[in-house]
Amino acid sequence: MEQSVKEILKHIGEDPTREGLLDTPRRVQKAWEFMCGGYKQDPKEIIQSALFKSSNKEMVIVKDIELYSTCEHHMLPIIGKAHVAYIPNGKVIGLSKIPRVVDVFSRRLQIQEQLTEQIADAINEAIEPEGVAVVIDARHMCMEMRGVQKICSTTITSALRGIFKKEKKTKDEFMSIISSSFHK
């Protein structure tokens, strides 16, 4: 990877041997290993590590989960927030595991639509709740830094499973709770 970064630097007209760039290939490699660390993690293991029996049947929401991902089309940042809800069916997840699941999928090359689906499906499959809802509100640097150059535009995606898809009032309750978090 370091050699590839040197080649990129040369290609854009830089000198990879100049002082400020000498360690850049190594730093870029470390950064990409971190930003794509989700490929080495299993969301099922994360969820299973903190799964508890519960009689709770009310909505559980973790909102405003910061996420940083990378667009698979241009390899530029996606920056946003995820809002995740589920209605337990005999099991609950340790609350800190929900942001960890978001990170697992965010730290891969992504499109936001797929990211939203992956988070919902992982939780749905692991705990078989009454329902799962995931909404992501994010900015895409591929739209802001290049191409259409629409600064501060956001994309909102949702994935609804179970009762959130079947019952409008459940979906509406979730959307009402998270709506104050959307970019304004």
Side-chain angles (χ1 to χ4, degrees):
M1 183 184 277
E2 288 185 35
Q3 188 57 43
S4 296
V5 172
K6 288 178 185 175
E7 291 302 315
I8 290 169
L9 290 170
K10 287 180 195 173
H11 182 77
I12 64 170
E14 268 293 353
D15 174 7
T17 63
R18 81 171 167 85
E19 183 182 6
L21 294 176
L22 284 175
D23 290 331
T24 295
R26 180 186 51 78
R27 287 190 298 261
V28 169
Q29 179 173 335
K30 287 179 80 171
W32 277 99
E33 287 170 352
F34 176 79
M35 292 185 305
C36 293
Y39 290 111
K40 296 178 181 174
Q41 295 179 297
D42 182 353
K44 288 179 186 170
E45 282 182 23
I46 290 168
I47 294 169
Q48 296 296 328
S49 72
L51 203 52
F52 308 101
K53 290 182 183 178
S54 175
S55 60
N56 180 34
K57 294 270 187 195
E58 300 298 322
M59 193 180 305
V60 176
I61 301 173
V62 180
K63 69 178 206 165
D64 297 327
I65 303 166
E66 289 183 354
L67 72 83
Y68 302 92
S69 193
T70 306
C71 164
E72 70 181 32
H73 298 141
H74 303 98
M75 296 177 74
L76 290 171
I78 300 169
I79 303 164
K81 291 183 178 183
H83 313 284
V84 179
Y86 71 97
I87 297 178
N89 186 19
K91 297 181 239 176
V92 294
I93 306 168
L95 294 176
S96 70
K97 302 309 176 190
I98 293 173
R100 290 184 193 277
V101 169
V102 170
D103 283 348
V104 165
F105 293 112
S106 297
R107 291 185 180 151
R108 299 175 181 187
L109 297 180
Q110 281 290 8
I111 60 171
Q112 184 174 329
E113 299 88 339
Q114 188 65 33
L115 173 60
T116 311
E117 295 277 330
Q118 290 170 334
I119 295 165
D121 290 341
I123 293 169
N124 199 45
E125 291 168 15
I127 65 168
E128 299 175 343
E130 294 291 327
V132 176
V134 177
V135 170
I136 295 177
D137 181 12
R139 294 174 55 196
H140 293 248
M141 294 305 107
C142 58
M143 287 179 49
E144 293 190 30
M145 297 172 63
R146 55 159 304 282
V148 72
Q149 296 181 2
K150 296 302 175 199
I151 308 303
C152 296
S153 62
T154 65
T155 300
I156 299 173
T157 51
S158 67
L160 307 173
R161 305 290 183 267
I163 198 167
F164 287 96
K165 194 167 192 104
K166 294 175 189 165
E167 290 194 22
K168 183 181 180 332
K169 71 176 187 156
T170 305
K171 175 184 166 186
D172 288 350
E173 177 184 352
F174 170 64
M175 294 303 289
S176 174
I177 291 168
I178 68 167
S179 65
S180 65
S181 297
F182 293 137
H183 286 97
K184 294 188 177 20

